Amino acid sequence: MTTAPTLVWFRDDLRIADHPALHAAADRGAPVIACYLLDEHGEGVRAPGGAARWWLHHSLAALRDELAELGVPLVLRRGPAVELLPALVAEAGADAVLWNRRYSPARAIDARLKSALREAGVDARSFPGDVLAEPQDVRTGSGTPYRVFTPFWNGLRDRPVASPLPAPDALTGADAPGGDALEAWGLLPTRPDWSGGLRAAWAPGEAAALARLEEFAGELDGYAERDLPAVDASSRLSPRLRWGELSPRQVWHRIRAAGGPQSEPFLRELGWREFFRHTLFHEPDLATRNLKPAFDRFPWAEPDPTELTAWREGRTGLPLVDAGMRELWATGTMHNRVRMSAASFLIKNLLVDWRVGEQWFWDTLVDADEASNPGNWQWVAGSGQDAAPYFRIFNPERQAARFDPDARYIRRWIPEYGTDAYPAPIVDLAATRERALAAYDTIR
DNA sequence: GTGAGATTTGC
DNA sequence: CAAATCTCA
């Protein structure tokens, strides 16, 4: 008689260390089969953009290899998870399905599957793997979710965070039902292949993620210069966390162990990721609805196609904005401070609805995250619950003078900077600032 | 009910 | 210093 296998369902947790579901599967002792289901049209699912698909391909390939070393097959299937998962359970003869929870609207799928599988006698269980504390467990004194970051962070920072689980060293594989070849999913761009810059900038996969965490922990003091885009002081961990190559618990404990004056400021940033995850849990339409309803009346301008294209392609004539937008297009990322300037320019100087910019970032960022991306865009727009005041309008020239005084960052991405080939600003900063403030007055 | 406090700024 | 709302304890 053969032992029924355990199925581990991977989603945004493409790692084997500190993976509670995989760890629980090892504890069950039965053979293990892993699966990843590419469900782009399911209820509450937001299909990944172009740059994200590139990352997903490579991170899945890395996970497949890591699991193979443990003797565990990774079955790939494409379609609706609500149908694919029960079918896979039946084909594999599995008596248990384990996964790590997600906090996006797609969790409706997980809830449905969990009850259906349990009804069929399958041991279906989920685990917390993508947060420091689960949204249900973080509440104000009166029992409501936090709407302001600082009290949220004060409530969270002193809580104990569970220690990371080790990667399983001994697992038994099982004969797996057939699946798709990763290459057949067409996640990589062809005709043209625009991913050269991404390949040069990134190496997806858990091993590289862990190596980067180690490296960053060793140079944490340099984080003091994180506001200077020309300086390599960022953690560059955001896509690792987005795809779950690292868990926030691993990052939390490693950076706390590193200590020093920059430990707290960095962990606070991890707190923002957490805050927006919790926000998305409570506000599932974060990416489409103004959290401040007054902004539903905001008189956005009809986007001028020429201006919009100039913004996307980095030809606005505002060097810091253009450098950032070109960095984004080339590498799938943008320095944080430049993101704020580029977003503020689109929203406040071009008066374009923040959702237009949010969608562009969604398509082009390798770290495009369902919670952090719209959360930060709403923060810049002023429409978020704990947002920057609308009248606080970034001046991209002033930001460049303060944070890139010798234009090193600007020149890195705009070779023609300073020559006639570089365009004049497409808008008057002072006039569009006044226009934005006047627009804001209409909804107050 | 009360009052303190609120990422990232511009001019 | 603007400008002044809302959260949270």
Side-chain angles (χ1 to χ4, degrees), chain A residues 187-322:
Chain A
L187 296 172
L188 299 179
T190 56
R191 291 182 307 208
D193 173 10
W194 43 258
S195 64
L198 274 59
R199 280 197 299 276
W202 298 103
E206 182 176 15
L210 285 165
R212 175 57 193 157
L213 176 60
E214 257 334 284
E215 184 180 58
F216 177 63
E219 60 195 30
L220 187 59
D221 287 348
Y223 192 64
E225 292 191 283
R226 65 187 168 280
D227 267 331
L228 308 178
V231 178
D232 180 23
S234 299
S235 74
R236 297 203 305 273
L237 293 176
S238 57
R240 313 314 192 161
L241 287 159
R242 156 64 183 90
W243 296 102
E245 296 171 356
L246 293 173
S247 77
R249 309 194 301 203
Q250 289 174 297
V251 175
W252 170 274
H253 283 284
R254 185 63 190 89
I255 298 303
R256 285 201 112 180
Q262 294 305 314
S263 172
E264 280 298 315
F266 178 79
L267 291 175
R268 201 179 160 84
E269 299 302 320
L270 200 60
W272 274 95
R273 174 188 187 271
E274 190 84 2
F275 180 62
F276 286 135
R277 263 181 167 51
H278 290 217
T279 301
L280 180 63
F281 180 85
H282 299 296
E283 307 282 354
D285 47 4
L286 178 68
T288 53
R289 188 176 59 83
N290 294 305
L291 293 188
K292 281 191 181 136
F295 275 78
D296 293 345
R297 307 192 307 272
F298 193 89
W300 301 112
E302 188 62 36
D304 175 333
T306 308
E307 289 182 352
L308 205 53
T309 304
W311 179 76
R312 287 181 178 142
E313 296 182 353
R315 293 183 286 101
T316 69
L318 280 309
L320 189 68
V321 173
D322 291 344

Side-chain angles (χ1 to χ4, degrees), chain A residues 352-375:
Chain A
V352 171
D353 191 320
W354 61 267
R355 285 163 280 221
V356 175
E358 195 276 340
Q359 183 63 47
W360 180 253
F361 274 32
W362 179 258
D363 288 334
T364 52
L365 282 169
V366 292
D367 63 19
D369 183 281
E370 275 193 83
S372 295
N373 195 49

